[in-house]
Amino acid sequence: MTNIHSDKILILDFGAQYTQLIARRIREIGVYCEIWAWDHNPAEIAAFGAKGIILSGGPESTTEHGAPKAPQEVFDSGLPILGICYGMQTMAAQLGGATEAADAREFGHARVDVVAADKLLNGLTDHDSFQALEVWMSHGDHVAKAPPDFTVTAVTDRIPVAAMSNETKRWYGVQFHPEVTHTKQGTTLLKRFVADICGCQTLWTAAHIIDDQIARVREQVGKDHVLLGLSGGVDSSVVAALLHRAIGDQLTCVFVDTGLLRWQEGDQVMATMAEHMGVKVIRVNAAERYFKALEGEADPEAKRKIIGRLFVEIFDEESAKVTAAGSGQVKWLAQGTIYPDVIESAGSKTGKAHVIKSHHNVGGLPEHMKLKLVEPLRELFKDEVRRIGVELGLPREMVYRHPFPGPGLGVRILGEVKPEYAELLARADAIFIEELRKADLYDKVSQAFAVFLPVKSVGVVGDARAYEWVVALRAVETIDFMTAHWAELPYGFLGTVSNRIINEIRGISRVVYDISGKPPATIEWE
């Protein structure tokens, strides 16, 4: 079988907002890569077996005392190196060149003139009559003087070294960001580095990833039984499809219908996973238990804890039933952990990543279960998870669905959660999503949903005055969900959605649209 991890790139992260984007671009090219912190154990860096190393950008300044540096072992490795932005600056500073703080930060579009040919930039241009690249810059400092044995290969009208290289050692630096789409030749440049200069084969494809994971899961679990908490979300659905293909009836999925899911989602999950895919799914209709447990509770954090704790209780009960039913002792718990969770957890261990919220999947399972973990998506970014989901035969509209919070509608109903509120909200949300799809707007926004507000407002329904609930619509556009802009949906479209919600759902008399960005607002309301 093809070893899809044999040709790989190591990215050393200096804290740039774009680092994960570098990794995603490299993987889209078809080459496996991992992101490690810049001060990772040098012995492990050497043992990793990369075919090339990329030094990422970062917010620090090489002109400051104690600024982060690439380990000397990187330069001693004999491997090709590509420094991007701060990565190029630290290369210059460490190898005998010079960096300086600029008079003004350079942020945004720029033109880079190529002044010498090397393997990275030779023939690359965005202009017909001269060799220049349209790129994206985001930096304060710059390289003032290239190190000895380096050639300056590109300049701009503002900086003397926009790119540099030492062809003998296969070391390259670019001040701009090839990983962002604004740099038109960025993907070509990265492909030249990983494929031509580092000599990596492009083995990292959806089909190969599936084959690789199936082999690994079979080896890991043997004949044991695996339990998976199926939420209906993208990650758990892809894990279910992947494990079903790998181990068939050794997998049991527990789908807890909390009563806080999207409209008719329980039936959709069962239709897709159990009927269409043939996966063994136990559906637990637990809505009454959830509403009872949430009675009288208005605090968002408390609601989250109740929902999480109850999920664990039900999951525990069902796992005991699976064992009692003679499927064999359940020894493995499958989770939909994905690579950004792993990076964030690793970052928080070293204290370098600021944790906004803790990540959990099933989280906090009872001690006595003592299950070992199977995490087949642990190496994958979200876009890769979606691609393999489609490859595994899951419906595209399920795989490319907008994110949905773990506690579901429990945190989209502000204040106390009641069954009637959940039904009103689920129906309003379904109308909003249906209209977005109809208007071809669903894939143009990153996340869209409705929120139930615990306030009543006067409306006129027919000839009578009504005193009914208010629903807010929220739609945002974002690249990374760290920051977001409210989506400027057409007024006519919003009018259609509002009319349908008010006319079709008894109990809602007013619809409002949320125009807050993140920051200062968060994407979800609670």
Side-chain angles (χ1 to χ4, degrees):
M1 195 175 109
T2 309
N3 179 1
I4 59 175
H5 299 86
S6 60
D7 290 9
K8 56 194 174 189
I9 297 290
L10 180 61
I11 299 165
L12 291 184
D13 181 20
F14 287 90
Q17 57 174 332
Y18 298 135
T19 304
Q20 289 193 24
L21 202 48
I22 301 171
R24 283 168 55 195
R25 292 286 173 264
I26 303 283
R27 290 180 178 204
E28 280 164 17
I29 290 162
V31 175
Y32 180 67
C33 59
E34 289 188 18
I35 297 171
W36 293 5
W38 62 272
D39 59 351
H40 197 95
N41 181 339
E44 288 184 20
I45 291 173
F48 180 65
K51 286 207 154 188
I53 294 174
I54 294 177
L55 308 177
S56 86
E60 310 286 345
S61 169
T62 51
T63 62
E64 300 284 326
H65 179 68
K69 292 180 175 181
Q72 184 55 40
E73 286 80 358
V74 168
F75 301 111
D76 296 341
S77 67
L79 293 172
I81 302 168
L82 173 63
I84 295 173
C85 196
Y86 183 89
M88 167 165 125
Q89 292 162 16
T90 196
M91 277 175 84
Q94 289 179 243
L95 297 171
T99 59
E100 63 185 13
D103 301 337
R105 290 189 72 226
E106 191 172 19
F107 183 83
H109 288 281
R111 194 185 95 186
V112 164
D113 293 305
V114 179
V115 294
D118 66 3
K119 280 189 181 159
L120 197 66
L121 300 179
N122 186 31
L124 279 193
T125 184
D126 290 311
H127 296 268
D128 293 336
S129 53
F130 55 96
Q131 195 181 356
L133 300 170
E134 298 300 322
V135 303
W136 185 259
M137 294 281 193
S138 177
H139 65 99
D141 297 357
H142 60 243
V143 175
K145 185 163 78 72
D149 303 322
F150 272 74
T151 302
V152 176
T153 53
V155 299
T156 75
D157 54 6
R158 295 181 62 178
I159 56 173
V161 188
M164 63 183 196
S165 66
N166 178 333
E167 291 270 52
T168 312
K169 293 196 165 169
R170 300 180 297 168
W171 293 350
Y172 302 84
V174 292
Q175 184 54 65
F176 54 89
H177 288 271
E179 68 275 22
V180 301
T181 51
H182 307 301
T183 299
K184 293 182 180 175
Q185 303 288 339
T187 301
T188 308
L189 186 151
L190 290 171
K191 188 167 187 177
R192 280 189 177 183
F193 179 70
V194 300
D196 302 345
I197 294 165
C198 299
C200 293
Q201 297 178 76
T202 50
L203 305 170
W204 189 255
T205 63
H208 282 157
I209 293 166
I210 291 167
D211 291 344
D212 177 71
Q213 280 303 334
I214 286 171
R216 285 162 85 169
V217 166
R218 284 175 180 163
E219 189 181 341
Q220 189 181 7
V221 307
K223 298 282 180 213
D224 295 342
H225 209 82
V226 179
L227 199 64
L228 167 66
L230 185 63
S231 69
V234 177
D235 300 336
S236 71
S237 299
V238 174
V239 171
L242 189 58
L243 291 179
H244 178 67
R245 189 176 286 191
I247 56 172
D249 283 351
Q250 288 167 249
L251 170 70
T252 300
C253 297
V254 176
F255 170 56
V256 180
D257 191 337
T258 60
L260 301 170
L261 302 173
R262 287 169 276 210
W263 183 243
Q264 296 180 330
E265 186 169 17
D267 296 340
Q268 287 161 8
V269 168
M270 294 307 290
T272 302
M273 303 310 296
E275 293 157 40
H276 173 61
M277 304 286 290
V279 179
K280 188 161 52 173
V281 184
I282 297 166
R283 179 176 183 171
V284 185
N285 293 314
E288 275 186 35
R289 277 176 77 173
Y290 273 86
F291 291 124
K292 184 100 186 68
L294 288 162
E295 248 173 44
E297 186 53 72
D299 178 70
E301 206 46 45
K303 289 194 294 186
R304 275 191 164 83
K305 289 203 169 84
I306 290 166
I307 291 166
R309 190 171 63 239
L310 192 49
F311 179 88
V312 167
E313 272 175 37
I314 294 167
F315 196 82
D316 191 22
E317 289 163 16
E318 294 305 320
S319 90
K321 286 183 200 167
V322 170
T323 302
S327 294
Q329 178 71 40
V330 175
K331 293 191 180 166
W332 298 87
L333 172 71
Q335 289 198 156
T337 308
I338 63 174
Y339 193 43
D341 302 342
V342 177
I343 297 168
E344 192 154 317
S345 304
S348 58
K349 265 186 222 142
T350 59
K352 285 178 204 42
H354 298 282
V355 179
I356 309 287
K357 59 173 184 172
S358 54
H359 283 282
H360 65 282
N361 284 295
V362 173
L365 284 167
E367 275 297 297
H368 68 82
M369 287 181 85
K370 293 201 169 36
L371 296 177
K372 293 179 281 187
L373 285 182
V374 186
E375 298 176 312
L377 308 182
R378 201 182 158 78
E379 291 181 342
L380 306 181
F381 286 105
K382 193 73 165 192
D383 47 345
E384 295 174 310
V385 172
R386 295 189 201 279
R387 282 201 290 277
I388 73 164
V390 171
E391 183 91 14
L392 285 162
L394 290 168
R396 194 183 185 285
E397 61 274 16
M398 178 189 208
V399 170
Y400 282 89
R401 219 159 45 165
H402 292 171
F404 188 66
L409 302 182
V411 290
R412 289 181 178 172
I413 295 166
L414 304 195
E416 188 184 359
V417 176
K418 294 184 178 180
E420 59 268 31
Y421 299 170
E423 186 180 335
L424 288 175
L425 179 58
R427 289 176 62 200
D429 185 77
I431 288 171
F432 186 25
I433 299 304
E434 186 187 317
E435 289 296 331
L436 281 166
R437 289 194 188 281
K438 211 187 284 182
D440 198 25
L441 290 167
Y442 184 81
D443 290 327
K444 294 185 173 71
V445 298
S446 310
Q447 192 171 1
F449 54 91
V451 179
F452 181 89
L453 307 187
V455 290
K456 282 189 164 181
S457 113
V458 174
V460 178
V461 179
D463 292 327
R465 281 162 66 82
Y467 196 52
E468 294 177 333
W469 300 109
V470 180
V471 160
L473 304 180
R474 176 93 160 125
V476 297
E477 292 170 2
T478 176
I479 301 292
D480 55 10
F481 289 90
M482 301 304 239
T483 61
H485 189 271
W486 61 276
E488 296 180 32
L489 298 174
Y491 293 155
F493 167 81
L494 289 170
T496 301
V497 176
S498 173
N499 283 340
R500 276 198 62 193
I501 289 173
I502 292 167
N503 288 329
E504 294 176 30
I505 305 174
R506 281 288 300 268
I508 297 172
S509 65
R510 194 173 297 264
V511 174
V512 298
Y513 188 55
D514 178 352
I515 57 167
S516 320
K518 176 186 178 180
T522 53
I523 293 175
E524 296 286 346
W525 277 46
E526 280 196 341

